[in-house]
Amino acid sequence: RKEVEQDPGPFNVPEGATVAFNCTYSNSASQSFFWYRQDCRKEPKLLMSVYSSGNEDGRFTAQLNRASQYISLLIRDSKLSDSATYLCVVNLNNFNKFYFGSGTKLNVKP
Amino acid sequence: SAVISQKPSRDICQRGTSLTIQCQVDSQVTMMFWYRQQPGQSLTLIATANQGSEATYESGFVIDKFPISRPNLTFSTLTVSNMSPEDSSIYLCSVFPGQGRGYTFGSGTRLTVV
């Protein structure tokens, strides 16, 4: 079983739509959670950390559900520029052990 | 957050040759990490580069194939040795800025082996 699993998509949504991705993780000892964004042919860039209480940054909301071992990313009012692959990243209680999901591809269309 | 300069950004190499990738960080970091991202795949950790000691390799990666140098706290190199087409991939270096925070990545090296 993979440490981190994501639906590869693609999610094709119109501009202005709300879209949500989930990511499940297998190790209940996981401590830190992140969403990264990767544009085509670019390196991954940190989008947001995911806190136990949930957190919001503009149109983006991240949630953590420890009981069910998943994290989610909600994007409201999608923009064309949101088109990218979104990587879920999980860190065990060992700061050099990060596990990357395979990514969820989002296409926002006009 | 740390700024990482990685080069080359891309290269096309003949099989059997070697390529050395360099990463320079604008601040001192204890650990630097080397990842590989094969086409359509997610990132796989190759090794952790520690200053003053040998790199720690993940399962499936060996020092003879991917020798790493870490001469100081701001610089590291990864060499892809005796390349074959299967080594065609994006190679990324990264640093870890602190507990609870995510990685920062270099811009990546896109390697094509022909």
Side-chain angles (χ1 to χ4, degrees):
Chain A
R1 183 182 174 187
K2 290 183 181 179
E3 292 284 346
V4 181
E5 299 209 51
Q6 293 182 252
D7 181 344
F11 285 60
N12 298 307
V13 303
E15 270 187 290
T18 296
V19 62
F21 314 131
N22 280 348
C23 161
T24 59
Y25 60 95
S26 61
N27 194 323
S28 60
S30 300
Q31 292 291 317
S32 304
F33 309 88
F34 308 91
W35 283 103
Y36 275 74
R37 171 193 169 127
Q38 186 172 25
D39 293 291
C40 187
R41 297 180 177 271
K42 299 285 189 181
E43 75 276 19
K45 293 187 177 177
L46 181 64
L47 178 65
M48 58 196 308
S49 303
V50 186
Y51 303 124
S52 297
S53 56
N55 47 305
E56 187 173 312
D57 182 3
R59 297 181 295 108
F60 299 84
T61 301
Q63 297 279 353
L64 167 64
N65 185 317
R66 286 194 182 271
S68 300
Q69 293 183 203
Y70 75 86
I71 66 172
S72 63
L73 178 67
L74 180 78
I75 305 175
R76 289 181 296 278
D77 189 22
S78 299
K79 311 291 185 190
L80 295 177
S81 57
D82 294 333
S83 297
T85 296
Y86 291 84
L87 301 171
C88 167
V89 183
V90 173
N91 174 225
L92 295 180
N93 190 20
N94 175 346
F95 61 84
N96 70 324
K97 282 293 183 186
F98 282 74
Y99 295 96
F100 287 79
S102 55
T104 297
K105 188 171 176 57
L106 171 66
N107 296 317
V108 181
K109 301 185 179 299
Chain B
S1 59
V3 176
I4 304 175
S5 174
Q6 182 174 345
K7 58 182 181 182
S9 58
R10 60 178 62 235
D11 208 339
I12 301 173
C13 300
Q14 297 288 330
R15 66 177 68 202
T17 63
S18 298
L19 175 72
T20 295
I21 303 167
Q22 300 180 5
C23 269
Q24 179 77 49
V25 189
D26 68 345
S27 58
Q28 293 185 340
V29 291
T30 305
M31 291 187 180
M32 293 179 70
F33 305 90
W34 288 97
Y35 279 84
R36 181 172 74 183
Q37 187 174 29
Q38 295 184 302
Q41 304 293 316
S42 191
L43 285 79
T44 301
L45 181 64
I46 298 172
T48 302
N50 307 303
Q51 196 271 331
S53 64
E54 282 199 3
T56 305
Y57 288 83
E58 297 298 306
S59 176
F61 298 96
V62 295
I63 188 171
D64 290 346
K65 176 68 175 176
F66 297 101
I68 286 171
S69 79
R70 186 80 202 276
N72 57 54
L73 291 174
T74 64
F75 187 78
S76 179
T77 69
L78 169 78
T79 299
V80 186
S81 302
N82 188 25
M83 288 183 285
S84 66
E86 292 71 33
D87 294 321
S88 298
S89 188
I90 299 172
Y91 293 84
L92 296 137
C93 65
S94 68
V95 300
F96 180 72
Q99 198 90 21
R101 296 164 66 187
Y103 278 134
T104 298
F105 287 90
S107 54
T109 297
R110 184 175 296 273
L111 171 62
T112 303
V113 184
V114 297

